[in-house]
């Protein structure tokens, strides 16, 4: 079974802190994604990566950056966290043009 | 931008009844997928239907696709309390890059015992 893990289920940070969210998949998938999920807005794509060291902006990249140094790991970075980044963050991976496999999510609260 | 639009936004039924959720989208697609999300968890893939398919079954799930109307429906038959979750459609547009999907806002299904 494909497994996608995220570093934390719940995270509380203060405004202005640098925040790292880690995602690891164990199935050698090329493509990885970061979404945020907010009530009434569904899933919105922040960034995605289709290969090591490759990244593409999604629909809402402002305030975020990403890193993919190894194929299995895709990190989301909030350079200076703000309260409007309080959200559920979901990571996903896919081998190609098929189903996406999601991690359990990280609920981030920025105070 | 979100392409898929689910309808209804919320649905409440009794155990044993059928649940139907609809999804509309705007651009041509390679495939359409349905996902389920239990409260506070990640999404789980349910079923994928390709643009050249009209209907697909998986257990108690039946998905239809009408590319001329740019719409899809998910039918859950003989629902159970354990089916209570949010259901999302996601489209794979033909211009796609990197396996990116566009998700709708979801339908919240509540199945009462």
């Amino acid at each position: 079974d494909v497994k996608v893990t995220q570093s934390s289920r719940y995270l509380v940070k203060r405004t202005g802190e640098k925040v790292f969210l880690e995602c690891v998949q164990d199935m050698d998938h090329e493509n990885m994604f970061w979404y945020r999920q907010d009530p009434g807005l569904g899933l919105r794509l922040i960034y995605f990566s289709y290969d090591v060291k490759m990244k593409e902006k999604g629909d809402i990249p402002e305030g975020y950056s990403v890193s993919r140094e190894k194929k299995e790991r895709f990190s989301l970075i909030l350079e200076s966290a703000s309260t409007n980044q309080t959200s559920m963050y979901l990571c996903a991976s896919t081998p190609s043009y098929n189903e996406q496999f999601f991690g359990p999510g990280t609920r981030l609260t920025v105070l | 931008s979100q392409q898929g639009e689910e309808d209804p936004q919320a649905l409440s039924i009794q155990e044993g009844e059928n649940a139907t959720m609809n999804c509309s989208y705007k651009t041509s697609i390679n495939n359409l997928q349905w996902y389920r999300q239990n409260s506070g968890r990640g999404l789980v893939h349910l079923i994928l239907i390709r643009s050249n398919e009209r209907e697909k079954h998986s257990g108690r799930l039946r998905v239809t696709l009408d590319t001329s109307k740019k719409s899809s429906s998910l039918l859950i038959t003989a629902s159970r309390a354990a089916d209570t979750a949010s259901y999302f459609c996601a489209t794979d547009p033909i211009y796609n890059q990197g396996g990116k999907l566009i998700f709708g806002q979801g339908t919240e299904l509540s199945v009462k015992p």
Side-chain angles (χ1 to χ4, degrees):
Chain A
D1 279 354
V2 176
K3 192 167 184 183
V4 180
T5 57
Q6 295 183 227
S7 49
S8 306
R9 288 298 316 280
Y10 300 95
L11 206 53
V12 180
K13 295 291 181 181
R14 298 215 173 266
T15 301
E17 280 193 77
K18 190 168 187 175
V19 181
F20 292 88
L21 302 182
E22 300 277 323
C23 175
V24 178
Q25 49 95 1
D26 65 357
M27 284 299 291
D28 203 37
H29 288 171
E30 290 83 11
N31 306 312
M32 297 187 74
F33 308 83
W34 275 106
Y35 298 90
R36 67 176 279 177
Q37 184 178 25
D38 301 287
L41 296 177
L43 273 75
R44 294 181 291 168
L45 182 64
I46 304 171
Y47 267 98
F48 68 103
S49 168
Y50 51 88
D51 202 352
V52 175
K53 296 191 185 297
M54 304 299 286
K55 60 186 179 185
E56 291 285 341
K57 292 179 180 179
D59 299 317
I60 51 163
E62 296 78 18
Y64 304 93
S65 62
V66 289
S67 172
R68 193 161 181 207
E69 296 297 318
K70 294 185 178 180
K71 193 173 187 179
E72 67 270 19
R73 188 179 297 269
F74 191 35
S75 302
L76 180 70
I77 303 153
L78 287 66
E79 295 289 343
S80 177
S82 63
T83 54
N84 63 11
Q85 292 178 310
T86 291
S87 186
M88 172 72 123
Y89 289 88
L90 293 164
C91 173
S93 71
T94 183
S96 59
Y97 296 83
N98 284 301
E99 64 180 283
Q100 291 189 7
F101 296 86
F102 281 81
T106 296
R107 188 166 293 280
L108 172 68
T109 302
V110 182
L111 302 176
Chain B
S1 59
Q2 294 293 326
Q3 174 171 233
E5 297 281 341
E6 281 98 340
D7 166 50
Q9 290 188 328
L11 181 61
S12 182
I13 59 174
Q14 295 293 131
E15 237 179 357
E17 293 181 343
N18 295 342
T20 300
M21 288 159 268
N22 303 297
C23 171
S24 60
Y25 58 93
K26 295 174 184 172
T27 64
S28 297
I29 59 172
N30 294 312
N31 65 68
L32 185 145
Q33 304 175 30
W34 285 90
Y35 289 79
R36 166 195 168 123
Q37 183 182 34
N38 285 34
S39 181
R41 310 293 297 187
L43 278 71
V44 175
H45 182 263
L46 294 176
I47 197 165
L48 180 153
I49 186 164
R50 302 194 187 283
S51 61
N52 61 353
E53 297 175 311
R54 292 296 166 258
E55 189 170 310
K56 203 160 184 181
H57 296 253
S58 177
R60 292 184 297 113
L61 305 181
R62 173 178 167 250
V63 169
T64 61
L65 179 65
D66 186 336
T67 52
S68 66
K69 295 181 179 177
K70 292 188 169 55
S71 67
S72 173
S73 67
L74 171 67
L75 169 67
I76 304 174
T77 60
S79 62
R80 306 166 182 168
D83 294 329
T84 295
S86 293
Y87 293 82
F88 294 86
C89 70
T91 52
D92 174 11
I94 57 171
Y95 60 78
N96 201 9
Q97 177 193 17
K100 192 170 66 166
L101 297 176
I102 300 177
F103 286 84
Q105 295 183 10
T107 293
E108 278 190 41
L109 175 64
S110 174
V111 182
K112 299 186 186 327

